[in-house]
C-alpha cells in the first residue's frame, strides 16, 4: 500500500482530521477518541521533527554561522522532545538511534567484535558544542543528519502500526514525566549543549497537550492538572540556566505534585493501571514513595516476592558459617550490617587467609534494585550470585550440594526449610532452596528512607542547606546524575529501570593525582571477551556510600574527597592515563571547594541504616555443630 511522505501526511492530517497547533475539533468527531487524536499529534510531531532536521542540514550545508547552526539544532531537539514520550514507549530502539549516548558500542556475543558507531542528536551536538566543528568534518555531520532522517522515516512507519489506548497513553505520559525528572534535568541527553531545562519544558508541554484531550470527560480534574503543568513550566522558564537551576526545588514543589496529580486524574477518568510486574510499580504516584520499587521484579520469576519465612531462613543462612568449606566463614564475613553490608577493606581476605579477593566487597543494601550482579555484571539474579560466592575458592570455598546434604541432617534447619518452602515438604532440602532463601533475604535489604528521601516526601528539616546545594551539584554541574541515576542513585536506567549500565572510568591501580598505571582488572571484558569493554564496571549505588569506604572496584580510594577529586580531574584519562575507551568525559568539572563539600554532604544524606542492628539472628547451629558439619564436609571432599 502506498505511504504518503511525511510532508504530505502532515498536510492530510491538517486538512482532513483537523489537527493544528490550536487543536481545532475534528471534522469527524464521532470517530475521534483522545487516543486517536494523540496518535495524530504524534505523526504531526514526527513530520515537524523531520522538517527541523532538514533546516539544520541546510544550515550546515550552506556554512551558516555557528550560532545559526546551534539555533537550528536547538529547534530540532525541541521538536524531538514533543514526540519522545511515544517514541521511547513504542520504538525504543529507534529512539536510541535518534537520541542515544554518543558512545561507541560493541554488541555482546558478537564474535567479530564489530564496533557500532553512535548516531543521533547527541552525536550532532558533539559537532556543535562546546565549539564548532572543523570545516573538514562538515560532510561527516551531513552524513549523520541524513542517517537521522532515514531513522525518522522508520519511526513514521512504526507509528502507523500503533494501537494506542487510554491506558497506554497515560502510562507513556507518566514515564515521560519521570524521564524528565531524571534523565532530562540531569543533562543525560544534553552532555554538551546548555538546553536541558528548556527541553524539559518542551517535554512537559507535549505531555500536557495529550492529557488536555481528556478535558471533556473530567473538566474539573483536568483544570487542576493543567494548573500543575503551567506552574512547572513557569518555574522552568524562570531560570533556564542548566548550571544554576534549582532541581531540588523543582522536584519537590512542582515535579512530585505534577506526577501525583497525573495519577489522580487517571483514577478520576477510570483508566486502569497496568498490573504486570515492573521495577517501578505502574501505579506509583512518585518514584520517591517507600513502596515505589519492586525488588522482586529482578527475581527469576518477576514479581514473585519471597515469603517472610523464606527471608528469615535466608537471613539465618547468610550469617551461619555452615555454608563455607571450613565452617568458619559466612556471607556476613565480607558483608557486615554495621558497615552497610560491606567490610571496610580495599579487598577482602581470601578463604585461606593468605591474600585478598579480586575486588572490593560492595554494599548489599539495595543490591536487589539492579538488573545485573557483580562488578562485571556477569549474572542476572541474586540466586546465581549466591551460588557463585559459595563455590568460589577464594570466598566461601563451599558446595551447595554438600551443604544441602548436611543441612538435611539437622532438625533445626529441617523445620526452618519446611516452613519456608511448604510446597516442597516431600522433597529433601536442595540447592535451589538455599539459593532462593539467600536471594530472598538480600532482596529484603532495600533501604529507601534516607534523609534525602524524607525531604523529597515533605520533611523539610531532613536536609541541611549544604546537602540541598550538593544535590543540585550532583544533578547539575557535577554530572553525577548522568550515571548514578536518581532516585536509586545506581546505574539502573530510568524510567523503565530495566538495564544496569557499565562504565569505563580509568580507575588507577593506586590513589594518586599522578598515577603510574591503570588498574589491570579487565572488568566486563573478561565476561564477554569484547575488547572495547576492557575495564568496564557496573555503576554501583551511592546509597549508604558514606559507610562503605574504601571505594571503586579495587578499593583504591579511601575517602569520598579522593573520589570527588578523581571525577573532578576527568577520571583516568584526565589524570594522564591511556584509556582510549573511557566513557567518563575526561574534561575537568571545575567544581569549587564549596561545591565539593556540598556534594559530599549530599552523599552523606543518602545513608539509611534502618534496622541494621537487628540483622544478626541467633544461630540455629552452635559452634560445635558447625565444626562437626565442616569435618563431615571435608571428608566428603576428600
Amino acid at each position: 500500500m502506498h505511504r504518503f511522505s511525511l510532508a504530505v501526511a502532515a498536510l492530510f492530517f491538517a486538512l482532513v482530521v483537523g489537527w493544528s497547533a490550536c487543536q481545532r475539533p475534528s471534522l469527524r468527531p464521532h470517530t475521534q477518541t483522545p487516543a486517536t487524536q494523540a496518535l495524530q499529534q504524534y505523526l504531526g510531531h514526527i513530520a515537524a521533527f523531520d522538517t527541523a532536521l532538514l533546516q539544520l542540514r541546510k544550515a550546515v550545508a550552506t556554512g551558516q554561522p555557528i550560532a545559526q547552526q546551534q539555533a537550528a539544532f536547538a529547534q530540532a531537539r525541541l521538536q524531538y522532545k514533543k514526540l519522545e514520550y511515544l517514541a521511547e514507549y513504542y520504538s525504543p530502539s529507534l529512539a536510541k538511534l535518534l537520541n542515544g549516548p554518543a558512545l561507541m558500542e560493541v554488541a555482546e556475543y558478537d564474535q567479530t567484535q564489530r564496533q557500532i558507531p553512535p548516531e543521533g542528536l547527541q552525536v550532532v551536538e558533539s559537532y556543535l558544542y562546546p565549539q564548532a566543528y572543523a570545516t573538514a568534518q562538515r560532510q561527516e555531520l551531513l552524513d549523520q543528519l541524513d542517517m537521522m532522517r532515514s531513522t525518522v522515516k522508520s519511526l513514521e512507519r512504526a507509528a502507523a502500526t500503533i494501537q494506542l489506548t487510554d491506558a497506554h497513553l497515560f502510562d507513556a505520559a507518566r514515564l515521560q514525566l519521570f524521564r524528565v525528572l531524571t534523565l532530562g534535568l540531569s543533562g543525560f541527553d544534553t552532555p554538551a549543549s546548555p538546553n536541558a531545562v528548556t527541553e524539559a519544558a518542551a517535554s512537559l508541554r507535549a505531555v500536557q497537550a495529550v492529557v488536555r484531550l481528556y478535558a471533556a470527560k473530567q473538566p474539573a480534574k483536568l483544570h487542576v492538572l493543567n494548573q500543575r503543568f503551567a506552574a512547572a513550566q513557569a518555574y522552568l522558564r524562570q531560570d533556564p540556566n542548566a548550571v544554576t537551576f534549582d532541581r531540588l526545588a523543582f522536584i519537590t514543589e512542582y515535579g512530585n505534585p505534577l506526577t501525583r496529580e497525573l495519577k489522580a486524574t487517571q483514577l478520576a477518568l477510570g483508566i486502569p493501571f497496568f498490573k504486570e510486574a515492573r521495577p517501578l510499580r505502574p501505579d506509583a504516584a512518585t518514584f520517591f514513595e517507600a513502596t515505589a520499587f519492586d525488588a522482586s521484579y529482578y527475581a527469576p520469576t518477576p514479581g514473585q516476592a519471597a515469603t517472610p519465612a523464606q527471608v528469615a531462613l535466608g537471613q539465618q543462612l547468610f550469617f551461619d558459617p555452615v555454608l563455607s568449606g571450613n565452617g568458619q566463614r559466612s556471607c556476613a564475613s565480607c558483608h557486615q550490617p554495621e558497615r552497610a553490608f560491606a567490610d571496610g577493606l580495599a579487598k577482602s581476605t581470601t578463604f585461606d587467609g593468605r591474600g585478598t579477593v579480586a575486588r572490593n566487597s560492595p554494599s548489599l543494601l539495595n543490591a536487589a534494585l539492579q538488573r545485573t550482579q557483580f562488578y562485571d555484571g556477569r549474572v542476572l539474579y541474586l540466586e546465581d550470585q549466591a551460588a557463585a560466592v559459595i563455590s568460589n575458592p577464594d570466598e566461601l570455598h563451599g558446595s551447595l550440594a554438600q551443604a544441602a546434604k548436611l543441612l538435611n541432617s539437622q532438625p533445626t534447619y529441617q523445620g526452618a526449610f519446611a516452613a519456608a518452602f511448604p510446597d516442597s515438604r516431600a522433597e529433601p532440602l536442595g540447592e535451589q532452596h538455599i539459593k532462593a532463601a539467600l536471594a530472598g533475604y538480600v532482596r529484603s535489604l532495600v533501604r529507601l528512607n534516607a534523609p534525602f528521601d524524607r525531604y523529597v516526601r515533605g520533611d523539610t528539616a531532613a536536609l541541611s542547606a549544604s546537602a540541598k546545594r550538593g544535590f543540585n551539584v550532583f544533578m547539575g554541574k557535577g554530572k553525577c546524575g548522568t550515571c548514578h541515576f536518581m532516585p536509586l542513585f545506581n546505574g539502573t536506567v530510568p524510567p523503565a529501570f530495566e538495564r544496569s549500565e557499565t562504565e569505563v572510568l580509568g580507575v588507577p591501580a593506586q590513589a594518586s593525582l599522578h598515577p603510574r598505571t591503570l588498574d589491570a582488572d579487565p572488568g566486563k571484558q573478561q565476561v564477554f571477551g569484547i575488547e572495547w569493554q576492557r575495564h568496564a564496571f557496573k555503576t554501583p549505588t551511592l546509597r549508604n556510600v558514606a559507610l562503605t569506604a574504601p571505594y571503586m572496584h579495587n578499593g583504591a580510594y579511601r575517602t569520598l574527597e579522593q573520589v570527588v577529586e578523581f571525577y573532578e580531574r576527568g577520571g583516568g584519562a584526565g589524570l594522564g592515563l591511556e584509556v582510549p575507551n573511557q566513557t567518563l568525559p575526561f574534561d575537568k568539572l571545575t567544581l569549587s571547594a564549596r561545591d565539593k563539600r556540598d556534594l559530599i554532604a549530599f552523599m552523606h544524606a543518602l545513608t539509611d541504616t534502618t534496622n541494621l542492628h537487628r540483622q544478626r539472628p541467633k544461630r540455629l547451629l552452635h559452634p560445635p555443630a558447625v565444626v562437626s558439619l565442616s569435618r563431615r564436609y571435608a571428608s566428603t571432599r576428600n
Side-chain angles (χ1 to χ4, degrees), residues 519-532:
D519 186 80
D521 192 327
K524 194 174 181 179
Q525 186 274 341
Q526 197 170 30
V527 179
F528 296 104
I530 296 174
E531 190 59 31
W532 195 252

Side-chain angles (χ1 to χ4, degrees), residues 210-403:
V210 169
V211 297
R212 275 179 176 167
L213 298 172
Y214 293 83
K217 296 185 177 183
Q218 281 285 342
K221 206 64 187 159
L222 263 296
H223 177 70
V224 175
L225 183 58
N226 274 321
Q227 287 181 319
R228 293 290 188 196
F229 272 111
Q233 291 172 58
Y235 188 84
L236 290 165
R237 288 194 297 270
Q238 284 179 17
D239 184 11
N241 187 315
V243 175
T244 60
F245 182 74
D246 191 338
R247 291 162 173 83
L248 186 60
F250 179 78
I251 289 167
T252 56
E253 298 173 26
Y254 301 95
N256 285 347
L258 180 55
T259 59
R260 290 192 192 102
E261 193 59 38
L262 183 68
K263 177 179 179 178
T265 301
Q266 185 171 347
L267 289 170
L269 289 166
I271 299 173
F273 295 90
F274 291 105
K275 301 296 184 183
E276 75 266 18
R278 293 184 186 179
L280 178 62
R281 298 183 191 276
D283 60 349
T286 77
F287 48 32
F288 298 111
E289 296 172 357
T291 59
F293 288 90
D294 180 7
S296 68
Y297 173 82
Y298 298 104
T301 304
Q304 185 172 315
T307 66
Q310 290 167 352
V311 171
L313 174 59
Q315 182 183 33
Q316 200 74 50
L317 290 168
F318 187 91
F319 290 92
D320 199 326
V322 70
L323 296 180
S324 66
N326 59 5
Q328 298 178 23
R329 191 173 173 118
S330 72
C331 303
S333 298
C334 299
H335 299 284
Q336 303 160 15
E338 301 80 10
R339 298 179 182 272
F341 285 85
D343 65 359
L345 301 175
K347 296 177 181 179
S348 304
T349 305
T350 54
F351 179 85
D352 61 11
R354 298 175 182 174
T356 60
V357 300
R359 294 167 184 158
N360 175 262
S361 291
S363 170
L364 294 185
L365 294 179
N366 302 308
L369 296 174
Q370 52 192 352
R371 169 50 68 196
T372 60
Q373 302 298 330
F374 291 115
Y375 278 108
D376 53 23
R378 63 184 180 271
V379 303
L380 293 179
Y381 303 118
L382 287 166
E383 287 81 356
D384 296 326
Q385 182 187 45
V389 170
I390 290 170
S391 64
N392 190 317
D394 282 340
E395 297 183 78
L396 292 189
H397 196 38
S399 162
L400 277 171
Q402 293 297 333

Side-chain angles (χ1 to χ4, degrees), residues 572-627:
L575 290 172
L577 296 174
E578 185 68 24
V579 196
N581 61 331
Q582 181 169 306
T583 56
L584 176 74
F586 50 81
D587 51 326
K588 288 181 170 52
L589 293 174
T590 65
L591 299 180
S592 69
R594 190 177 87 156
D595 288 336
K596 296 173 185 178
R597 290 193 300 270
D598 291 342
L599 183 56
I600 292 171
F602 166 67
M603 287 190 278
H604 277 264
L606 293 175
T607 302
D608 179 4
T609 58
T610 306
N611 292 332
L612 290 194
H613 64 286
R614 301 179 184 175
Q615 294 300 316
R616 292 187 182 273
K618 293 181 180 179
R619 297 177 65 174
L620 288 184
L621 296 179
H622 296 290
V626 173
V627 172

